[in-house]
């Protein structure tokens, strides 16, 4: 099995951090952002396809054709036209079912491979066209990502990217009394069959001019079978300097706790 990692964006929201380097090379906890995504898939897949674009030659030079034993292949997205377009660029390099992970995702210690394995297992068990790694977030946060609605059996009915108004919550969760309203959203981590490529080609550009992966997944849900797996542990997209600082603080806290636990166990 392979992984596809879209890493072609300009990272305009990163401010001066991407003034002279591509977003995948922004350091997070002392390592390039793309390295964190590769660490999440490396124990599970046999090769990774990295979709590059803006200053892609810098990414190729930094990582070469292998990352800690994981073979890397590069494909080019000529223009940044959205995630569905980026994924479609990788079609010729992919053979069979695969994992898709946005290259700006950082997981907590051990959570990356754990969740990727669960996605792969769920897709194999259900023979679904797609399995989405999802999490519950606040209503405010949900407006900034792809909101997922499911039927009574837990299958995905629709995915709406950055909705103006939130659809009814159909996830079946029972919300504890006093807890804030939340919604189920996608995380940028998926297990797909090649059916996703046809869906990517079939959808058009949205109001922003980009071809949204959420639209392709929604189309796939209408025509096939799309399942979900709930996130275990934590993850965060690194899109701004604030995101970077928050992730570094959380990773640092994990390292301190692990070191303390190791000392107590001696």
């Amino acid at each position: 099995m392979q992984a596809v990692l879209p890493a072609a964006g300009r990272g305009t929201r990163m401010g001066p951090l991407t003034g002279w380097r591509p977003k995948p090379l922004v350091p997070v906890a002392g390592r390039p952002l793309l390295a964190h995504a590769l660490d999440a898939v490396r124990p599970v897949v046999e090769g990774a396809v990295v979709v590059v674009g803006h200053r892609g030659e810098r990414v190729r030079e930094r990582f070469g054709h292998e990352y800690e034993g994981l073979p890397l292949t590069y494909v080019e997205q000529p223009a940044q036209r959205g995630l569905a377009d980026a994924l479609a660029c990788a079609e010729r390099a992919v053979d069979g079912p695969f994992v898709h992970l946005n290259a700006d995702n950082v997981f907590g210690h051990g959570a990356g491979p754990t969740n990727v394995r669960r996605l792969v297992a769920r897709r194999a068990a259900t023979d679904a066209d797609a399995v989405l790694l999802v999490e519950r977030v606040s209503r405010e946060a949900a407006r900034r990502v792809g909101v997922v609605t499911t039927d009574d059996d837990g299958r995905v009915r629709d995915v709406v990217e950055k909705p103006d108004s939130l659809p009814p919550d159909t996830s079946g969760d029972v919300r504890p009394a006093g807890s804030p309203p939340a919604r189920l959203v996608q995380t940028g981590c998926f297990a797909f069959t090649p059916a996703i490529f046809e869906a990517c080609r079939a959808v058009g550009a949205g109001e922003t001019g980009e071809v949204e992966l959420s639209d392709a997944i929604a189309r796939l849900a209408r025509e096939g079978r799309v399942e979900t797996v709930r996130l275990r542990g934590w993850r965060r997209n690194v899109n701004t300097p604030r995101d970077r600082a928050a992730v570094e603080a959380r990773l640092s806290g994990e390292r301190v706790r692990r070191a303390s636990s190791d000392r107590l166990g001696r």
Side-chain angles (χ1 to χ4, degrees):
M1 176 171 282
Q2 297 165 281
V4 175
L5 286 77
R10 290 181 174 271
T12 54
R13 287 181 286 171
M14 296 295 287
L17 291 171
T18 51
W20 56 273
R21 62 189 156 204
K23 182 180 178 182
L25 299 188
V26 168
V28 178
R31 300 168 58 245
L33 182 54
L34 177 58
H36 291 273
L38 288 168
D39 284 339
V41 300
R42 183 174 56 85
V44 186
V45 302
E46 298 174 350
V49 179
V50 182
V51 184
V52 296
H54 178 63
R55 294 179 175 171
E57 73 284 352
R58 296 281 302 278
V59 179
R60 295 174 189 259
E61 290 170 2
R62 170 61 179 80
F63 284 92
H65 294 288
E66 183 179 292
Y67 173 77
E68 297 189 8
L70 180 69
L72 302 180
T73 301
Y74 298 91
V75 297
E76 188 87 16
Q77 184 185 23
Q80 279 66 65
R81 298 184 59 244
L83 275 176
D85 180 74
L87 180 53
C89 292
E91 181 175 7
R92 292 185 179 181
V94 174
D95 181 20
F98 63 98
V99 172
H100 171 121
L101 176 61
N102 293 346
D104 55 11
N105 253 322
V106 178
F107 288 87
H109 178 68
T114 294
N115 284 291
V116 171
R117 287 191 182 97
R118 293 172 61 234
L119 279 178
V120 171
R122 180 69 174 171
R123 202 222 62 80
T126 61
D127 199 30
D129 298 300
V131 181
L132 286 55
L133 184 66
V134 297
E135 64 178 327
R136 292 190 68 80
V137 301
S138 69
R139 289 174 59 89
E140 181 181 353
R143 296 181 188 278
R144 300 192 294 268
V145 290
V147 177
V148 179
T149 57
T150 60
D151 61 20
D152 292 340
D153 296 323
R155 290 190 184 183
V156 174
R157 293 171 50 202
D158 198 10
V159 182
V160 181
E161 186 71 19
K162 300 175 183 176
D164 293 327
S165 59
L166 293 174
D169 186 1
T170 61
S171 62
D173 287 350
V174 177
R175 182 163 55 93
S179 63
R183 286 295 184 273
L184 204 62
V185 300
Q186 60 186 15
T187 63
C189 187
F190 316 90
F192 287 130
T193 69
I196 189 63
F197 294 122
E198 183 177 350
C200 288
R201 290 192 298 268
V203 298
E207 294 180 0
T208 63
E210 295 191 345
V211 188
E212 300 286 1
L213 184 56
S214 294
D215 292 340
I217 295 171
R219 182 184 181 94
L220 203 58
R222 292 192 297 271
E223 298 178 351
R225 178 171 181 161
V226 179
E227 300 274 345
T228 62
V229 166
R230 295 293 183 93
L231 173 72
R232 288 183 183 171
W234 66 269
R235 51 133 305 255
R236 183 160 178 164
N237 290 107
V238 178
N239 292 317
T240 66
R242 182 178 179 180
D243 293 332
R244 176 176 176 256
V247 165
E248 290 186 325
R250 199 157 186 180
L251 290 174
S252 177
E254 286 187 337
R255 286 195 297 270
V256 170
R257 287 192 294 272
R258 291 201 307 274
S260 176
S261 177
D262 289 344
R263 288 195 298 270
L264 292 174
R266 290 173 184 164

